[in-house]
Each structure stands twice: as C-alpha cells, then as structure tokens.
Amino acid sequence: MNIKKNVIILTMICVGCLLGNSYFKKNKRKRSVIAVQTLLHDRIEPIYQNYLKQIGLNEPPERFTLIALKAEKQLELWFEKGNKAYWVQSYPILAASGVSGPKLREGDRQVPEGFYKMVWLNPNSDYHLSLKVDYPNDFDQKKAQQEGRTQLGGEIFVHGKAVSIGCVAIGDASIEELFYMTSKIGIQNSVFLGVPHDFRKKSIVQQDKIWLNELYQQLNDTLHQKYSPSFESRKRE
C-alpha cells in the first residue's frame, strides 16, 4: 500500500514539474511574481514548512539572510526571528565569475562583497528566475567617489542556470526555492552578504586598501556573532 502511495506521489511531483517547465517556457516575459508563486506553491510550500519545522519556528521568519561564500562556492540561507538566526540550507553555487575581492567597476566580472539587500524579484529572468542585489549601494558609491572610480556596473543577481558574469548562479531548482520563500517572507526583509571566503573557518587576509580591511572585519564580526553559534550544530543535524 505504501509503495503504491509513494508511486502516486512521485508521479504527481513529476507531472507538476513537467507542467511547471512547460509554463515557464510558454510564458516567457509574461509572468508575474504572484503567478510564479502560485505555480510553485504545491511543490515548494512543503519544503518551506519543513525548514520551519526543522529549526523550531511555528510561524514565518521576520527576516532572512543569504551569505555568498565565494571561495567555498556555497550560498547559505538563514532565517531570523527576534535576535536569533537559524541556519536553514546551503545551496551550491554552480557559477560565479571573478576572484576574491570586491566588485569595483563595470566589466570586472566580480561578485560584490559587503552588506546588501535584495530589491527585486524577477519572474522573467533570462536565467529562469532571479533576485536582484542592490549593488552598488551607498557604501560602494562612496568609496568609488573617494577613489575616483566611475562606471561601477550593476545588474547583479542571484539566479538560476549555471552560468554567470558577476552574478551568483545556483541552478533552477534552488532558485525556485529561494524565489518562492522570498515572495512569502518579503524581499524587503532580506539581507545579502558577499564574502571572499568563510571567515568562521579561515582568517582574514590583509588587503592593500584600508577600507577593504575594515569591511572584511565587519563581515568577520557579523559572521561570528550572528551567523555562527547555531551553524555547526545545524550542519551536524
């Protein structure tokens, strides 16, 4: 009986995925956030609820944070409630161009490093679905002005597929999870941290720019103070 039930459930999931893929292909450039959320609901909502159950939250988080660890090629998802942060999931970064170091100008192919927010859910991305990062933010623009840099670039996204020029590509299945959960929690409640490597496991490498050392120290302190206490225990689970 259980075998038959599992087969039926698996069949329904496969049919849902096929119908979903068909919808995405047929409705390019015509989708809305609500339409995509509705399309993904039956498949992603149980995953979202399971995440909440695993970390012991009985209601939606107030905020969430994405931490892009460039050297490790991992994108961590943390839910936050009150003054507590809970590790939820780590998604492999399938593609991210550039090397260690911040994004300084248009065309340098760098993934930004620093403290950002997501500002736009794009349901019609060329890379399936995407979340826009608010680079260049005020900090980036201030430092560029001090150094006489112009043409800072932009259009930085966390998106699907497995190709990237300065963005963070995590594949279609992973971006569908993040897109759906972001639409539920609210993109205005988001934080994005871009980090050269995991400062919780490897010390800061000193840089020539004073302001970059200061930024790395702030990122280091944030990771250790807010996104570290429950990290190892959650990984062990």
Side-chain angles (χ1 to χ4, degrees):
M1 183 68 179
N2 288 334
I3 294 177
K4 290 183 178 179
K5 183 178 180 181
N6 289 337
V7 170
I8 292 173
I9 292 174
L10 180 60
T11 301
M12 291 176 65
I13 292 174
C14 290
V15 171
C17 289
L18 289 172
L19 290 174
N21 289 336
S22 175
Y23 173 86
F24 279 118
K25 291 178 181 178
K26 290 180 180 179
N27 294 274
K28 191 70 173 175
R29 306 286 181 195
K30 298 179 182 178
R31 304 188 294 256
S32 68
V33 171
I34 294 299
V36 172
Q37 184 189 69
T38 301
L39 176 70
L40 297 175
H41 178 274
D42 289 349
R43 182 158 51 89
I44 308 299
E45 180 66 21
I47 296 173
Y48 173 51
Q49 292 300 324
N50 187 55
Y51 286 156
L52 295 178
K53 181 179 179 180
Q54 286 180 347
I55 63 179
L57 287 181
N58 297 319
E59 53 187 356
E62 297 169 349
R63 301 170 303 281
F64 71 98
T65 295
L66 293 177
I67 303 175
L69 304 170
K70 293 168 61 172
E72 290 78 10
K73 297 188 182 303
Q74 292 286 315
L75 182 69
E76 292 180 2
L77 170 65
W78 292 72
F79 285 169
E80 299 179 38
K81 191 77 173 180
N83 60 354
K84 293 184 178 181
Y86 305 85
W87 177 83
V88 177
Q89 180 63 285
S90 291
Y91 301 97
I93 295 176
L94 304 183
S97 63
V99 295
S100 176
K103 184 171 182 62
L104 299 177
R105 60 184 59 85
E106 184 176 4
D108 62 9
R109 302 173 66 90
Q110 288 291 90
V111 174
E113 294 175 356
F115 297 85
Y116 299 92
K117 294 182 178 180
M118 268 80 70
V119 292
W120 180 37
L121 281 159
N122 182 5
N124 298 297
S125 171
D126 289 335
Y127 301 93
H128 192 50
L129 299 167
S130 63
L131 311 175
K132 188 175 184 181
V133 178
D134 72 336
Y135 170 89
N137 60 17
D138 291 342
F139 179 85
D140 296 317
Q141 295 180 55
K142 179 180 179 180
K143 295 306 174 185
Q145 184 177 26
Q146 291 174 351
E147 296 179 348
R149 288 185 281 111
T150 58
Q151 303 298 317
L152 304 186
E155 300 301 306
I156 302 298
F157 292 84
V158 176
H159 60 62
K161 306 301 179 187
V163 293
S164 169
I165 303 178
C167 295
V168 177
I170 59 174
D172 292 355
S174 295
I175 196 59
E176 286 178 1
E177 274 194 27
L178 286 183
F179 189 97
Y180 178 83
M181 290 186 288
T182 300
S183 70
K184 293 272 291 189
I185 301 169
I187 198 165
Q188 71 277 7
N189 300 316
S190 67
V191 173
F192 177 91
L193 303 183
V195 190
H197 63 261
D198 193 342
F199 294 140
R200 297 163 300 193
K201 299 179 180 179
K202 181 180 176 182
S203 300
I204 298 172
V205 176
Q206 291 299 304
Q207 306 294 314
D208 294 335
K209 295 178 182 293
I210 295 176
W211 67 262
L212 187 54
N213 286 317
E214 294 174 347
L215 175 62
Y216 282 178
Q217 188 61 54
Q218 292 171 10
L219 287 166
N220 174 79
D221 294 346
T222 299
L223 288 181
H224 279 91
Q225 294 170 9
K226 191 170 185 179
Y227 301 108
S228 186
S230 61
F231 178 74
E232 290 301 331
S233 62
R234 292 296 173 187
K235 292 290 280 188
R236 287 195 296 270
E237 292 175 3

